[in-house]
Amino acid sequence: MDTFAALSQGLTVALQPINLLFAFVGVMLGTAVGVLPGIGPALTVALLLPITFKLDPAGSLIMFAGIYYGGMYGGSTASILLNTPGESSSIVTALEGNKMARAGRGGPALATAAIGSFVAGTIATIGLALVAPTVVDIAISFGPEDYFALMVLAFTTVSAAFGSSVTRGLTSLFLGLALGLIGIDLQSGQARLSFSIPDLLDGVEVTTLAVALFAIGETLSVAAAGARADEIIEPVKGSVFMTREDWKRSWKPWIRGTFLGFPIGAMPAGGAEIPTFLSYALEKRLCKKPDEFGNGAIEGVAGPEAANNAAAAGVLVPLLTLGLPTSATAAIMLAGFQQYGLNPGPLLFVTNPDLVWGLIASLFIANGMLLILNLPLVGLWVRLLAIPRPWLYGGILVFATLGTLGANPSLVELGMLLIFGLLGYVLRRYDYPIAPVVVGLILGPLSEQQLRRALAISVGDPLALFQSPIALTLYALSALALFGPLLFFLLTGRKAPVGADED
């Protein structure tokens, strides 16, 4: 199907009243959780998984995507007004944005962030629509050995991209892979690691693990950290509109940030943090007034925010076309697909084209909604920052427990929620990343299935796994993801920027 024809068909799905409502709820929730430091889109989507499993798949996934995009927008508000990034990808925005707010230019800072996010999000979504079919055409020719190599690439890049070291990322990954072994072996029909507990025969529910690790674990971590000093919120003084000079200084950084963010976000280990730092460094180099950097340069807000939102669209390329999650939110969205019996990848574009293209088309609508909502409602977002943390996290704890019990009313499920929640706290306490655990549970059984298929076709010959040029290329990329930081250190003598905060 022609890309533009498919996108037109997707718009008819996205413009249905119920899906517009889902998109609106998603962007409102996403912006709210993006504003609140420590509450991100990954945690929010995880909380919503148990209560959306009976809803329409298209509407729920549109809402999840809206939360993801909204979280990127909302993170800039906390960075600019509070100097506390709501999202890890908004760290760079705080460098110049908060200085602008202190100088009485918080309005233009918020405006350039919102408009730049809209411009970048729109261009990057067009890029997603154009690139995705090409990737699908390549991926649809994959054999079992290629899919297994693709899963290996997913494991290594996720392990390398999150956490303070590759070793910690791999440790978290193997925890998830071990959990993925629980249940009935589909080939032999034998129960594995079920300990004679009937509830474990179907395996560990991804929604239970995600809610426990992201919601319960985060709540316990915040409670253990104790009281924090009061945070000072910079008021928005003067007009929120940009001057002609602000527009002149912002539009080029928006474009440059977009073309940095989208391709890096689409890479298996790209993420949104790297392009924001690159954009800041580029704008500092190109700025005609470099002395303003560090004192509130608007280019230092415009470029990184555009790169941030373009990367968010880029992350959806490997997720939708290959089933590879490259961020914590993408991993939870993958769990959202699977709770409806859908597996992202090239076949999804063939079997459920209306859903996929409806989701892509909804991103244009979400971008428009976010632009309209962000600036007029800035007062509301600022008031959210005044919510006492005990109330906020207490509500999350109750919501997580009731949501899980509503989806699967079982004492065993409640027990697993508690155990995995404690596991999430321990992982945070010792600086181990959370996302690889979820990725291991989701992709572990799929990789095992593809490995068995490849070995069955080759009559048990393990060398068959390395005979495909595609598989060899993917293995090479996996090795680069694992050993690239070490090579970087040996060549430069500096530690590579391995890992990123999870968003």
Side-chain angles (χ1 to χ4, degrees), residues 19-340:
N19 289 335
L20 288 175
L21 177 62
F22 275 118
F24 178 76
V25 172
V27 297
M28 288 291 285
L29 276 175
T31 305
V33 300
V35 168
L36 295 168
I39 313 291
L43 188 154
T44 307
V45 175
L47 279 175
L48 291 174
L49 285 178
I51 64 172
T52 56
F53 74 105
K54 288 187 178 181
L55 298 179
D56 175 57
S60 297
L61 293 170
I62 285 171
M63 180 171 65
F64 295 159
I67 290 171
Y68 189 24
Y69 264 38
M72 298 299 105
Y73 271 74
S76 63
T77 302
S79 295
I80 292 168
L81 301 181
L82 197 62
N83 201 26
T84 305
E87 287 295 307
S88 60
S89 51
S90 297
I91 292 172
V92 179
T93 305
L95 298 178
E96 303 299 327
N98 189 250
K99 296 285 177 59
M100 290 182 68
R102 291 181 181 181
R105 284 176 43 79
L110 290 169
T112 194
I115 298 170
S117 296
F118 171 77
V119 171
T122 302
I123 295 174
T125 304
I126 294 172
L128 167 62
L130 294 175
V131 170
T134 304
V135 178
V136 166
D137 290 340
I138 297 171
I140 208 162
S141 62
F142 280 16
E145 67 280 0
D146 301 322
Y147 271 112
F148 177 71
L150 187 64
M151 299 296 177
V152 172
L153 176 62
F155 294 148
T156 54
T157 52
V158 168
S159 301
F162 293 112
S164 56
S165 72
V166 175
T167 306
R168 281 185 163 86
L170 287 173
T171 303
S172 294
L173 172 70
F174 278 104
L175 278 173
L177 292 174
L179 292 173
L181 293 173
I182 297 174
I184 294 177
D185 182 350
L186 295 178
Q187 187 164 333
S188 66
Q190 296 294 314
R192 300 187 299 191
L193 303 175
S194 63
F195 306 104
S196 300
I197 301 174
D199 295 70
L200 293 180
L201 292 176
D202 290 331
V204 175
E205 287 287 341
V206 177
T207 52
T208 301
L209 180 71
V211 170
L213 292 180
F214 283 95
I216 308 295
E218 176 69 17
T219 301
L220 294 176
S221 180
V222 170
R228 299 185 182 186
D230 291 336
E231 296 164 322
I232 299 173
I233 303 172
E234 295 293 338
V236 180
K237 302 173 184 175
S239 173
V240 296
F241 296 105
M242 296 165 60
T243 64
R244 179 175 295 182
E245 177 69 13
D246 291 333
W247 281 92
K248 184 178 178 181
R249 294 177 60 180
S250 294
W251 75 269
K252 288 182 180 178
W254 292 338
I255 303 300
R256 286 191 288 261
T258 301
F259 286 98
L260 273 175
F262 180 71
I264 295 176
M267 293 177 185
E273 292 80 10
I274 295 172
T276 57
F277 280 98
L278 289 177
S279 176
Y280 183 82
L282 179 63
E283 296 309 324
K284 188 174 182 179
R285 182 182 293 270
L286 296 177
C287 183
K288 294 179 181 178
K289 300 178 181 179
D291 54 303
E292 286 191 15
F293 270 80
N295 297 303
I298 196 168
E299 295 90 342
V301 178
E305 273 304 302
N308 177 19
N309 282 267
V315 163
L316 296 178
V317 174
L319 176 66
L320 294 177
T321 60
L322 301 173
L324 293 185
T326 57
S327 72
T329 309
I332 304 303
M333 287 181 67
L334 179 59
F337 275 97
Q338 291 200 333
Q339 79 172 354
Y340 296 112

Side-chain angles (χ1 to χ4, degrees), residues 315-407:
V315 163
L316 296 178
V317 174
L319 176 66
L320 294 177
T321 60
L322 301 173
L324 293 185
T326 57
S327 72
T329 309
I332 304 303
M333 287 181 67
L334 179 59
F337 275 97
Q338 291 200 333
Q339 79 172 354
Y340 296 112
L342 303 169
N343 287 313
L347 292 180
L348 189 65
F349 282 75
V350 178
T351 57
N352 295 90
D354 287 352
L355 185 146
V356 176
W357 288 105
L359 176 61
I360 294 173
S362 74
L363 299 177
F364 291 105
I365 297 169
N367 256 315
M369 287 180 175
L370 285 164
L371 179 64
I372 295 169
L373 292 173
N374 262 262
L375 291 178
L377 297 181
V378 67
L380 172 63
W381 309 132
V382 170
R383 288 191 187 93
L384 288 177
L385 295 170
I387 297 176
R389 281 182 175 269
W391 295 9
L392 185 64
Y393 283 95
I396 288 173
L397 198 62
V398 172
F399 197 80
T401 307
L402 293 179
T404 302
L405 283 176

